[in-house]
Amino acid sequence: QVQLVESGGALVPPGGSLRLSCAASGFTFSRYYMSWVRQAPGKGPEWVSIISGDSGLTRYLDSVKGRFTISRDNVKNTVYLQMNSLKPEDTALYYCARVPYGSGLDYVSSRLRDYDYWGQGTQVTVSS
């Protein structure tokens, strides 16, 4: 069965860095776009970034451009989110999600139920 397992979340000070990982299994990983979606306490979910199956295309939420980098390793079936220059407003539960097959870079829904599958999330807290 399809599984997505996120890891790498932690408590970091403002300006710090983290790399989140999402290990995928149960499907042909390289065929699917993958996204990261986050949900801050007391707020609705927010789409963060998307990457194509071959890593050639990426897209970012404006507020994370230049600070976050999405990447993937299709041998390890893992998608990553490198987060630099973290801000308190980046505090959230971060989910990776599988984009429905055939959808592309314009699939930027913030609703987890619009994705095929998503993981349990990993908590990122940015605070001094």
Side-chain angles (χ1 to χ4, degrees):
Q1 70 278 20
V2 173
Q3 281 194 311
L4 298 171
V5 180
E6 302 95 335
S7 61
L11 169 63
V12 294
S17 296
L18 277 178
R19 187 175 82 154
L20 306 184
S21 300
C22 172
S25 60
F27 64 101
T28 305
F29 182 67
S30 61
R31 291 186 179 178
Y32 290 85
Y33 281 65
M34 296 294 295
S35 279
W36 287 94
V37 176
R38 68 186 181 185
Q39 185 160 14
K43 296 187 177 180
E46 177 179 51
W47 169 82
V48 175
S49 185
I50 186 171
I51 186 168
S52 61
D54 64 0
S55 302
L57 299 172
T58 59
R59 187 174 176 183
Y60 298 92
L61 179 69
D62 283 349
S63 62
V64 309
K65 280 181 185 175
R67 300 189 299 120
F68 290 12
T69 302
I70 191 171
S71 62
R72 64 192 294 162
D73 184 330
N74 286 346
V75 174
K76 295 182 178 180
N77 286 355
T78 301
V79 60
Y80 303 98
L81 187 67
Q82 177 66 43
M83 305 186 296
N84 299 329
S85 303
L86 282 161
K87 303 176 180 180
E89 51 263 42
D90 295 318
T91 294
L93 188 60
Y94 283 72
Y95 299 91
C96 72
R98 193 181 84 172
V99 176
Y101 185 74
S103 299
L105 210 65
D106 58 348
Y107 202 89
V108 296
S109 175
S110 293
R111 299 184 305 185
L112 285 174
R113 65 178 181 270
D114 286 342
Y115 296 86
D116 289 344
Y117 295 91
W118 56 92
Q120 82 289 347
T122 187
Q123 179 67 41
V124 172
T125 302
V126 185
S127 175
S128 53

